[in-house]
Every structure is written in structure tokens, then in C-alpha cells.
Amino acid sequence: MLHVDILSAYCLCGASALVAAGLLLLAKVDDAKLARAIRVMVGGFVVVAIGLFPLGFIVDDGGPRHPLFLLATLALLGGTALFGWGFAFLRGAQPPRAAPVLVALMLAADVVAWTRSPFDFELVFNALAVTIAIAITGSQWRDVGLGGTRAERAVTASLFVYTLAWGVRFAFTVSSDGSRSFYVAHLPSWLLPWMGLFYGMVPVIVAGLTLNLVNERLSDRLRAMADTDELTGTLSRRALRERAPGLRLRHRDQGRAVAAIMIDIDHFKRVNDSHGHLGGDAVLKRAAQLVSQNLRSDSVVTRYGGEEFAVLLPVLGLDEARAVAERLRKAFEAEVVEFEGARIGVTISVGLALMTPDELLEDALKRADEALYRAKNGGRNRIDVALEAA
């Protein structure tokens, strides 16, 4: 039969908490929010290690009245609370403002219980541990539920198991007569080794799940950076190519067509020459906002290059596409961009092509681009429609 002495298990948990802290410190994170979450969780691991590791060196039989047990319980409660805050930061959430005060009151209650009787101390400590575990799991469930990514679901499942373990321990404590305690654990002898093994594994499991979640967040961030134009916040050309097939298929099933629209800011070089590149950037940012504001949310807006934007627009037909393009043209014609006291007028030329069912995206954009050049050569601030695809 598996045999793990409970004091050795506590000591092992403290040692593995130090290992877990070291693992998290190895993570290279340049995102401020993720770095803060890791710092908080490392702090939680260190606090737990400071409290639990010394329990392995107890040689007397002072039981729960030993001062090191008070330190251990305070460290475990405080460290667990820090884990909860770290997980909240990883989700992009903020712990309640009252959370530090509530945790401080819990720690004070633990100290008061320790001064009374061993059983009061054990009962209060286990109750507080269950409360913190439920609070952490509940906040995770509220923000993620059964959904979320694979890493988020793994964190949620592990928190449920952690809460269940404390619930079992609290239930045995409540049902006991208060006379038989295995160092703050009123558990049957057959369950003690398995619970001890669980305690020893928890810190490393938490560190592994945290690193997995951090890697997922970093991957999402890199993907978003690759899909987004840094200046305007619109999609990149790469994202346009990736989203086009799904957009066309979805709207074809709904009986709608997709229009490819190319937009070019008229005389943009003059803006840069007169107001510098910062002035040009201000115009580009406002142009991206105007395009997005005058289109439905299911449209795909891309900064195609320089001062040129490409749009994929679900429409019922060419007439609707032309009407949308005209609305865009009028919106720009009426716009004045203010930059360092100057008022910069902006107009656009637009090329429009209605994509055929089997047409490649590059071919449709090429036709729209040819129409755009005709609009520019025809005097600018106008719309031109591409010839039908051959």
C-alpha cells in the first residue's frame, strides 16, 4: 500500500512549490499583463514554500499547536489567494477591490482559532481553505465556464479537483469527534497517503498549467499582431487572404455576393510633404475609422499597402455595392482631419469589382485595382466599376 507520511507530504509540497516558482521564472514574457500574472503566482509559490517546507523538520509531537503549523496555514491561505489573483490576471480580469481585505480577515481568523483549541484551529483553517478555493474556482467558472480554450478548460478542471479535495478534507473534519488528527488533517488512514501525494503534486501541476496558458496567450498575441496593421488597427493582407474563403462561402450559402473594393487616399503624398509623416499617419488612422464606421461589421477591412485599403463587402448585388462605395466617398469628402492646428481635407478614389463564384481573390482585387486607377486617372474623388470577369 502507498505510504506517504503527512509531514513529509507537506514538506514535499513546499519543495515542489519552490520548483514551480523556478519554472515560472524561466518563462520569457514581454507582455506587461502576463508578466504581472507570473510575478503574482511566483509570489504565491514562494509564500507556500516558506510555510510548508519547514514542517518536514518537526521532531516533537506538538501537533496542530506547534507554531510552524500556524505559519504553514497562513502561508497556504495567502499563497492560494495569490494563485487566484494570478489566474485572474491571466484571464485579463481584475480581482475585487475588497479581496485583500477579505484575505487579511481570513488570516486573522486563522490566528484567533490557533489561540483557542487544536480542533477550532483545524476546523477554521479547513473552512477558510474551502472558501478561498470556491472563490477562485467560481471566478474562473464565471469568466470561462465550459467554453474557452483547451488550456483554460484544463485550468478550470484542475481548480474543480482542488476545491473538491479541500471539500473532502473539510467534510471529514466536521464529521470527526475532534480527538484524532493527522496534523491538521482529519482523514481516514487509507486516504492520507493519497492526499499527501496530491499535495506534493499540486504546485508543479499548477505551474505546468500556468505555463501552458501563458504560451497560449503569447501565441494569440503573436497571431493578432500578424493579422493586424499596427498603425490603423485594420487587418493585414495575410489576414485578408485567410478570411476571404470563409466569408465567401458563408455568404454564398445565404444567397449574397461579395464585392472587392479598393480605396486610395487622393494626393496622399501632398499630405506627407505638407504635414510630415506624423500628419500622414493621422490621416491614415482616421481613414481606417471612416471606412469601418461606414460598413457593416461582417465586412473585412484591410490596409493593403501605403495609403490603399482593400475591403471585402457582402452585398445583394452590384447596385448595393455601388451605393456603399458612394457612401464611403461622401463620408471622406465631408471629413476634415485636424493635426497640430492644421485642417486636412481628405478625398478618396474607389475601384469596385463584384466577385464571381469561382473567381480567385487575387483576380478580383486586380480588377478592382484596375478600376481604381481609372477613377484616379478620371479626376479622383470618384468611383469606377470593374469590367466583368472573363
Side-chain angles (χ1 to χ4, degrees):
M1 179 180 176
L2 176 69
H3 178 73
V4 179
D5 176 76
I6 193 66
L7 287 181
S8 298
Y10 290 151
C11 182
L12 178 62
C13 183
S16 64
L18 283 178
V19 173
L23 289 174
L24 289 185
L25 287 174
L26 293 175
K28 301 296 183 182
V29 179
D30 60 357
D31 181 87
K33 294 181 179 179
L34 292 181
R36 177 179 63 171
I38 289 178
R39 287 196 303 270
V40 171
M41 299 191 78
V42 166
F45 281 128
V46 172
V47 168
V48 169
I50 291 173
L52 293 184
F53 187 73
L55 293 182
F57 301 93
I58 293 179
V59 294
D60 64 347
D61 194 23
R65 299 311 299 270
H66 197 291
L68 283 180
F69 272 98
L70 176 61
L71 173 65
T73 56
L74 293 175
L76 193 55
L77 294 173
T80 303
L82 287 174
F83 295 150
W85 293 335
F87 278 130
F89 292 145
L90 283 177
R91 295 193 305 271
Q94 287 289 337
R97 291 185 177 180
V101 176
L102 293 176
V103 172
L105 291 175
M106 289 182 177
L107 298 181
D110 190 54
V111 173
V112 171
W114 185 78
T115 64
R116 295 172 60 85
S117 70
F119 185 69
D120 287 342
F121 174 52
E122 295 161 356
L123 187 64
V124 170
F125 163 66
N126 282 283
L128 294 175
V130 170
T131 301
I132 292 178
I134 290 175
I136 295 172
T137 305
S139 63
Q140 176 77 9
W141 177 262
R142 183 192 64 229
D143 294 341
V144 178
L146 291 175
T149 64
R150 182 179 301 176
E152 288 173 333
R153 291 195 298 271
V155 168
T156 302
S158 66
L159 288 176
F160 270 109
V161 172
Y162 182 76
T163 303
L164 178 62
W166 277 111
V168 168
R169 182 167 165 170
F170 178 66
F172 276 110
T173 302
V174 171
S175 61
S176 71
D177 59 7
S179 62
R180 184 171 179 268
S181 169
F182 289 96
Y183 297 102
V184 204
H186 286 267
L187 295 170
S189 57
W190 65 266
L191 185 57
L192 271 174
W194 297 104
M195 193 65 78
L197 184 62
F198 174 75
Y199 291 149
M201 294 172 59
V202 162
V204 176
I205 292 174
V206 171
L209 290 173
T210 301
L211 289 174
N212 191 24
L213 196 55
V214 167
N215 287 335
E216 190 174 73
R217 292 287 187 271
L218 291 175
S219 296
D220 291 343
R221 180 167 170 257
L222 290 174
R223 190 178 302 112
M225 290 174 63
D227 288 350
T228 307
D229 176 66
E230 183 178 6
L231 177 64
T232 63
T234 59
L235 295 177
S236 64
R237 293 176 68 167
R238 172 181 174 273
L240 174 68
R241 289 192 298 270
E242 290 182 350
R243 299 192 184 192
L247 178 75
R248 295 180 65 184
L249 181 61
R250 182 168 64 254
H251 290 285
R252 184 178 64 187
D253 293 342
Q254 298 173 1
R256 299 173 69 87
V258 174
I261 301 176
M262 297 296 292
I263 302 169
D264 187 85
I265 300 175
D266 295 331
H267 303 296
F268 186 72
K269 186 176 182 303
R270 294 181 186 175
V271 175
N272 280 332
D273 291 343
S274 300
H275 305 282
H277 288 288
L278 291 179
D281 288 349
V283 169
L284 286 171
K285 291 178 184 178
R286 182 56 185 151
Q289 293 172 355
L290 280 175
V291 172
S292 298
Q293 290 169 1
N294 284 276
L295 298 176
R296 294 198 311 268
S297 60
D298 57 356
S299 303
V300 176
V301 181
T302 304
R303 185 183 177 192
Y304 203 70
E307 69 273 21
E308 198 169 53
F309 294 86
V311 174
L312 294 184
L313 175 70
V315 292
L316 291 174
L318 185 59
D319 289 341
E320 182 184 357
R322 195 195 301 267
V324 172
E326 178 62 16
R327 184 169 70 240
L328 277 173
R329 189 196 65 80
K330 289 182 177 179
F332 274 85
E333 190 177 43
E335 181 68 19
V336 175
V337 179
E338 296 187 359
F339 175 75
E340 294 184 349
R343 294 171 58 83
I344 308 171
V346 179
T347 62
I348 57 173
S349 298
V350 182
L352 171 64
L354 196 64
M355 299 180 69
T356 60
D358 300 321
E359 187 176 15
L360 296 175
L361 173 64
E362 290 76 10
D363 294 338
L365 291 175
K366 181 180 179 181
R367 291 195 296 120
D369 202 45
E370 291 170 350
L372 170 64
Y373 275 95
R374 288 197 298 272
K376 293 172 66 175
N377 293 333
R380 292 185 170 84
N381 191 22
R382 61 190 300 271
I383 299 167
D384 203 301
V385 179
L387 301 175
E388 294 185 5

